[in-house]
Amino acid sequence: MTPTFLSGGTRHEVTREQVQQAAFRLVSAHSETFSKNQAWFALVGTGLHYVVDLIDAATGHRPSSAETARLAMAALGFPVLCLAYGSLLTDGHPAHRE
């Protein structure tokens, strides 16, 4: 089964090979490109990449949300990480608390 993601209401497939090739072409996240607005990242090889940009570069289709992108990346077996800062570190995300 090939993972899928939503882009503009349409499902698209993405493969591990597409993601690895895209990661090779992209500059990995670092202090000059890191953004608090980009919370979900995937580790591909030794590079950390924003999941939405990575899938966009891999397929030519920009995912509709970070959620659909991160789920596809996780299904491909890549470690998916979330940026946490400030109160997110101490209190967690409000939507994830009971």
Side-chain angles (χ1 to χ4, degrees), residues 6-88:
L6 285 173
S7 176
T10 303
R11 285 223 167 264
H12 299 277
E13 292 185 343
V14 61
T15 66
R16 190 171 177 86
E17 293 76 25
Q18 286 175 301
V19 170
Q20 289 170 324
Q21 290 173 3
F24 181 75
R25 293 189 308 269
L26 293 172
V27 174
S28 60
H30 53 78
S31 61
E32 292 180 12
T33 61
F34 219 59
S35 168
K36 289 182 180 179
N37 296 322
Q38 299 175 331
W40 288 98
F41 296 85
L43 183 63
V44 181
T46 60
L48 193 61
H49 300 276
Y50 180 50
V51 293
V52 172
D53 290 346
L54 190 54
I55 289 186
D56 185 17
T59 66
H61 300 284
R62 189 154 187 88
S64 299
S65 69
E67 179 183 17
T68 192
R70 74 176 170 79
L71 292 173
M73 294 300 296
L76 288 170
F78 293 106
V80 178
L81 309 150
C82 182
L83 171 65
Y85 54 92
S87 65
L88 292 175

Side-chain angles (χ1 to χ4, degrees), residues 83-98:
L83 171 65
Y85 54 92
S87 65
L88 292 175
L89 291 171
T90 56
D91 303 328
H93 193 284
H96 300 166
R97 292 186 296 223
E98 295 183 88

